[in-house]
Amino acid sequence: MATRRSPLLLAAAILAVGLALSVVLSEYNLRLLNLSVITAIAVIGFNFAFGLAGLISLGHAAFVGMSAYTVAILTTATGWSPWAAIPMAVAGTVLFSALIGYPLLRLKGHYLALATLGLNVSFFIITANWLSLTGGTNGIPGIPQLRLHGYFISGERYFLRFGLVFLAAVAAAALAFQRSRHGRAMIAARDDEIAAAMSGIDVTRVRVAAFALSAACAAVAGALFAEHVRFIAPEDFGYVHSITYLAMLIVGGEGSVVGAILGAVLLTFLPEWLRFLGNAYLAFFAAMMLAILIFLPRGLVSLFRRRAPRRIAEGRS
Amino acid sequence: MSDLIQLFVNGLALGSVYALAAIGFVIVYSATGVVNFASGQFVMFGTFAGVSMLLDAGLPWAVGYLAVFVVMAVFGAGFFACLYLPLRKSPVATMIIGTVAIGILMQNVALLAFGSWPFRLPSPLDGLSVHMFGAVISAHALMVVAVTALLVGLLWFLLHRTPVGIGMRAVAQDMRAARLMGLEVNRLLALSWILAALLAGLAGLLLGPMWFADVNMGDPIALKAFAASIIGGFGSLPGAIAGGIFVGLTEVLGASYISSAYKDLIAFGIMILFLLVRPQGLFGERIQDRG
Amino acid sequence: MKLLQACGVTKVYGGLQALTDVDLTVMPGESVAVIGPNGAGKSTFLNVLTGLTPPTTGRVLFDGTDVTKLATHKRVRLGIGRTFQHGRLFSRMSVLENVMTAAETCRRGGDGAPRETAMRVLERMGLAAQAAEAVGSLSYGQRRMVEMCRVLAGKPRVLLLDEPAAGLNSGEVEQLVERLAALREEHSVAVVLIEHNMGMVMRFAERILVLNFGSTIAEGTPEEIQSDPAVLTAYLGEGYSHADL
């Protein structure tokens, strides 16, 4: 049962399923799976902010984009090695998120949602128009490949194996974190802010930490994305993607790492599976989303968790 | 100087459309607590209802406009029944995704029905212009401002002087108390959605001749309506009007005098600034969060 | 040595005077009750003591240091614990996890692991059997006990209780009084109690502070308070003059 799964088991399961799929899937499906793996990392990050701490951020894609652009600019314009650029991108994104977190996180509910949405829109406008730095809407092509032991990590299959290691590590760390006192402090701050303060929890700091952690995962996802597609443009990080992350988490099951992964994989593949519907596929997709929201409000993970539907599986220790 | 006047009137007209969209958004928010992310698609539906009635069906102006309002009212009622009622007890975030999903659905239904080719919705005042202080101003832009002003007056009358409107305000302030007083809360909530849809329909009809009508026009309008309501004050009708006009003016004036690439950044920058420094906006509620 | 001290606490909301110049001194291990009619400002007073509401004027001292400007969570870590009128729990956690949150933030040198601390408190308060249960499945009385356990796991030196007996049956009230008495005796925890259950107040409190319309109208031992005319006026109203309020 999902409730008792330890972080290491989860990591092992991700690697086993992923590696098995990397052998059997076609090149095209592998590409989608790579995208799902990268997206899953971002959604696991979003779960810190929304699932644990209850922060409705609609600017998550801007953090993904900020990191991807940092990697792209450092590797193309200044010729850094990707291995040096990635940590730099993650550190820069986390720092930025913490700095804006302090003033921003005084807002709650839909105020925070709209402020972060505005942030994401602003990020898009800047990347689409700052030609000398970002190449505008043409984006940045030719991001150099990652090299490991002198070999390029090229081709969908090899990249998948590489990405899976990141996903497994992030998922295991997220699960362990969620069960730790820090994870509990985040859940407490969301459940009852005043009771949390009365339990000695520094609610502001916990919120900023959740926000920064979510940005850290987003940054890892962004760096991987830049290295995977090797060509990035502003529309890869529009606010629509932020809303998609929220949708993935709610469909998968908020507050759950497994739910975050399920939601990311399902909503990445679903549009492709619906291709046969032609132009109608997005309409059908939206109708399905509505059905899930109405009939399965606690997400897909609640299907596996009938006995204690009110509890957060991974919150348990 | 004549340029400035022309830009000012155009900004005012665009701002009026944003204000109409923002008012619809605010009416729904204060009555039901729902932040409607599909409010841009509501406006888009208004424009396309106009396209099908005026262009496709070739109805005369008055009949066509009336038909659009009927369609929008039915749509608002349907939205209330099919989305709001089943999801009304969900958390804020679920409601956000729900309205986003509805927006995607509407956009793609419109895509299936009308294709991706843009239309130009005619205006009864097409080709007419007014000369003022040496500036040439399109009669349609002036009409937009006048119609919006008239409508704001009517709306004020509805909300403050009629039993239905007073009931709607009572529901917005305290749903439980309104129910205890014997008001038919659900009917009034449905009315708020219908009113929002009607306002969006009007915004769509007025906007259609100013922009090219295309099925993707919803999101930019919704973003401007959000910015307008935050700047004016979330949940406040005068705020929505002031905010809408402010956003329209910054967009048009900013594009010519500052930078056309960054014109939207100004509005969103100001919105974020307001959220951080004065989250209640110009006229809004004091509480930081009611959701 | 004074443990908790409120000096001239005044709180004004808009035009409403919620608290006017309220003083209170609590010694270690002492038990004080704050009573008064509904709306007298009792909960506001606790909010000021815990830092949830900043006072308009006046100071709060804990263990000799001024904590008036100190954030709530820091006061909690110093040793000010509090329960709420209707009990506030973390709904997405089990009973044990609820109690662990405070054990984790308020660890001091020499304490065991938070989980053990939390289990010990639960055992002591008779809730060990429910440790793994979701808080949603508990009775009202149990929920309030869990909240009490969470506060105790933070090792408070003063315990502020907002109507702890409300909604409990007489047996549960009896147990509560016994456990609080034991806490005072063993760890010299001071208790400040807001309560409408006069039986509990008279039996438990060594000293009583009476508030009405935000002002102190009497302070003294239970015997003194029971015979105080101003208190009778505040509670009974009719037949007494309001001029002296």
Side-chain angles (χ1 to χ4, degrees):
Chain A
M1 210 177 131
T3 37
R4 308 269 169 179
R5 203 172 278 160
S6 78
L8 284 179
L9 268 172
L10 177 64
I14 290 169
L15 287 174
V17 173
L19 288 177
L21 288 174
S22 81
V23 178
V24 297
L25 286 184
S26 70
E27 186 78 0
Y28 180 69
N29 278 323
L30 281 174
R31 185 174 177 76
L32 284 179
L33 196 56
N34 266 321
L35 276 178
S36 329
V37 164
I38 293 168
T39 311
I41 294 174
V43 179
I44 289 173
F46 187 58
N47 189 43
F48 285 119
F50 177 63
L52 298 194
L55 308 169
I56 308 177
S57 161
L58 295 180
H60 203 57
F63 293 138
V64 178
M66 192 170 290
S67 168
Y69 267 100
T70 311
V71 169
I73 292 165
L74 287 178
T75 52
T76 57
T78 59
W80 283 36
S81 146
W83 290 115
I86 290 173
M88 191 68 192
V90 175
T93 308
V94 170
L95 189 69
F96 177 77
S97 71
L99 284 180
I100 60 159
Y102 268 100
L104 214 52
L105 295 176
R106 286 180 305 152
L107 303 169
K108 286 177 233 154
H110 49 252
Y111 284 88
L112 181 63
L114 290 178
T116 45
L117 182 75
L119 202 73
N120 209 143
V121 173
S122 306
F123 177 78
F124 180 87
I125 297 172
I126 292 169
T127 48
N129 291 293
W130 193 348
L131 295 177
S132 58
L133 187 72
T134 65
T137 45
N138 291 331
I140 302 178
I143 300 166
Q145 275 179 329
L146 277 166
R147 249 174 21 171
L148 203 59
H149 298 306
Y151 294 100
F152 283 112
I153 302 175
S154 64
E156 298 294 341
R157 189 158 284 124
Y158 291 104
F159 195 91
L160 178 61
R161 289 168 187 171
F162 176 72
L164 279 172
V165 174
F166 275 85
L167 176 62
V170 168
L175 196 53
F177 182 89
Q178 204 160 321
R179 293 171 165 194
S180 75
R181 51 174 291 199
H182 303 287
R184 251 194 302 282
M186 285 177 189
I187 297 172
R190 172 182 174 176
D191 277 1
D192 190 329
E193 192 180 330
I194 289 173
M198 243 14 269
S199 303
I201 293 166
D202 185 343
V203 173
T204 311
R205 226 191 64 184
V206 161
R207 286 208 174 116
V208 174
F211 198 58
L213 260 177
S214 86
C217 295
V220 171
L224 286 177
F225 181 80
E227 286 300 329
H228 177 238
V229 297
R230 297 176 51 216
F231 161 61
I232 58 167
E235 64 262 30
D236 294 328
F237 316 108
Y239 74 93
V240 175
H241 290 84
S242 292
I243 292 176
T244 308
Y245 296 139
L246 177 60
M248 287 169 167
L249 191 55
I250 290 180
V251 165
E254 50 131 333
S256 153
V257 174
V258 177
I261 299 172
L262 283 181
V265 175
L266 183 74
L267 291 202
T268 307
F269 273 90
L270 201 57
E272 301 301 325
W273 293 337
L274 297 176
R275 280 254 160 146
F276 69 93
L277 292 171
N279 264 344
Y281 92 92
L282 261 177
F284 185 81
F285 177 74
M288 244 180 91
M289 284 274 314
L290 281 172
I292 292 180
L293 292 183
I294 292 171
F295 298 111
L296 213 59
R298 305 196 69 80
L300 294 170
V301 283
S302 63
L303 287 175
F304 310 110
R305 223 198 272 158
R306 276 174 199 276
R307 272 185 213 154
R310 280 181 52 89
R311 302 256 295 104
I312 277 203
E314 288 84 0
R316 195 183 182 107
S317 27
Chain B
M1 184 61 200
S2 66
D3 279 358
L4 181 66
I5 291 171
Q6 197 176 343
L7 288 171
F8 187 79
V9 174
N10 287 343
L12 214 55
L14 189 60
S16 303
V17 173
Y18 292 156
L20 288 175
I23 292 171
F25 172 73
V26 162
I27 285 178
V28 159
Y29 169 74
S30 20
T32 65
V34 173
V35 180
N36 183 11
F37 274 74
S39 51
Q41 277 75 27
F42 274 47
V43 175
M44 182 270 293
F45 250 39
T47 305
F48 276 89
V51 166
S52 46
M53 297 304 165
L54 297 171
L55 288 181
D56 297 351
L59 296 174
W61 292 110
V63 183
Y65 277 9
L66 198 67
V68 168
F69 291 129
V70 172
V71 167
M72 290 310 289
V74 170
F75 172 73
F79 196 94
F80 167 80
C82 302
L83 187 82
Y84 175 73
L85 282 183
L87 281 179
R88 68 187 183 284
K89 296 220 167 84
S90 312
V92 184
T94 305
M95 211 45 152
I96 290 178
I97 292 301
T99 55
V100 166
I102 273 275
I104 298 173
L105 190 63
M106 290 170 69
Q107 190 168 323
N108 286 280
V109 166
L111 180 71
L112 289 172
F114 296 95
S116 54
W117 201 253
F119 291 85
R120 199 189 158 279
L121 185 68
S123 154
L125 302 182
D126 268 341
L128 297 177
S129 55
V130 177
H131 292 263
M132 242 164 50
F133 310 108
V136 185
I137 293 158
S138 90
H140 180 78
L142 287 176
M143 180 185 82
V144 169
V145 178
V147 168
T148 306
L150 183 72
L151 200 104
V152 166
L154 275 176
L155 198 63
W156 185 88
F157 183 80
L158 172 75
L159 290 176
H160 292 261
R161 290 288 180 270
T162 66
V164 172
I166 292 168
M168 283 172 70
R169 282 170 53 227
V171 171
Q173 274 167 24
D174 190 335
M175 206 181 284
R176 278 229 329 254
R179 184 165 284 137
L180 289 174
M181 284 167 58
L183 291 172
E184 287 185 59
V185 169
N186 268 347
R187 222 181 63 194
L188 293 168
L189 289 177
L191 263 178
S192 324
W193 281 104
I194 292 173
L195 196 56
L198 285 174
L199 287 165
L202 181 67
L205 288 176
L206 295 174
L207 186 64
M210 293 157 67
W211 281 8
F212 278 109
D214 107 53
V215 295
N216 300 316
M217 67 196 275
D219 281 346
I221 299 169
L223 289 173
K224 298 292 164 53
F226 293 158
S229 14
I230 293 282
I231 292 169
F234 226 60
S236 146
L237 287 179
I241 299 160
I245 287 171
F246 178 83
V247 171
L249 283 175
T250 17
E251 183 173 336
V252 172
L253 296 176
S256 348
Y257 292 108
I258 301 172
S259 149
S260 75
Y262 288 108
K263 64 178 194 260
D264 290 340
L265 199 58
I266 307 167
F268 289 113
I270 292 172
M271 175 189 103
I272 293 175
L273 210 65
F274 258 98
L275 277 168
L276 295 180
V277 180
R278 196 181 155 82
Q280 73 271 32
L282 295 171
F283 302 89
E285 53 183 27
R286 289 287 291 276
I287 315 142
Q288 287 215 352
D289 176 26
R290 43 171 273 179
Chain C
M1 196 206 59
K2 294 160 183 166
L3 181 62
L4 179 67
Q5 219 182 336
C7 312
V9 168
T10 297
K11 179 70 193 176
V12 184
Y13 287 109
L16 182 80
Q17 193 94 5
L19 290 172
T20 310
D21 203 21
V22 178
D23 290 304
L24 176 71
T25 302
V26 182
M27 308 302 279
E30 199 183 9
S31 66
V32 183
V34 179
I35 63 170
N38 284 327
K42 300 176 304 260
S43 287
T44 307
F45 187 53
L46 286 201
N47 287 347
V48 170
L49 292 179
T50 49
L52 294 172
T53 305
T56 310
T57 56
R59 295 191 306 153
V60 179
L61 288 94
F62 184 74
D63 211 4
T65 49
D66 191 330
V67 296
T68 315
K69 296 222 181 318
L70 206 62
T72 299
H73 65 270
K74 288 184 182 153
R75 296 192 204 194
V76 174
R77 291 178 195 177
L78 285 179
I80 301 182
R82 180 209 170 147
T83 64
F84 290 89
Q85 209 170 344
H86 298 292
R88 305 181 81 132
L89 295 177
F90 306 127
S91 56
R92 295 189 294 165
M93 295 182 197
S94 68
V95 168
L96 178 63
E97 286 165 343
N98 259 280
V99 180
M100 278 170 72
T101 52
E104 283 160 344
T105 53
C106 302
R107 263 177 100 174
R108 293 188 208 38
D111 289 4
R115 173 180 298 272
E116 271 82 70
T117 311
M119 265 326 282
R120 253 202 322 277
V121 175
L122 283 173
E123 272 160 29
R124 185 183 179 130
M125 305 300 275
L127 277 167
Q130 281 81 27
E133 269 177 44
V135 290
S137 62
L138 301 179
S139 71
Y140 183 76
Q142 283 175 321
R143 289 172 60 88
R144 304 216 53 185
M145 271 321 215
V146 172
E147 192 192 27
M148 181 83 77
C149 289
R150 191 179 64 208
V151 175
L152 291 178
K155 298 262 164 69
R157 294 164 65 196
V158 59
L159 202 51
L160 313 178
L161 306 177
D162 200 342
E163 296 195 25
L168 302 191
N169 61 40
S170 57
E172 287 172 324
V173 172
E174 197 62 33
Q175 269 188 338
L176 181 67
V177 170
E178 272 167 31
R179 281 168 183 157
L180 289 176
L183 271 171
R184 287 179 52 209
E185 207 154 296
E186 290 165 37
H187 303 284
S188 68
V189 176
V191 177
V192 177
L193 181 78
I194 292 182
E195 191 48 74
H196 284 302
N197 181 335
M198 282 305 140
M200 177 170 179
V201 168
M202 293 304 163
R203 244 170 13 136
F204 184 71
E206 298 169 317
R207 204 148 51 79
I208 297 176
L209 178 76
V210 189
L211 291 183
N212 195 21
F213 294 116
S215 305
T216 307
I217 55 169
E219 189 176 358
T221 63
E223 293 74 31
E224 287 164 2
I225 294 300
Q226 272 172 316
S227 53
D228 191 302
V231 177
L232 292 173
T233 311
Y235 270 91
L236 302 173
E238 305 96 55
Y240 293 83
S241 155
H242 276 262
D244 53 347
L245 293 180

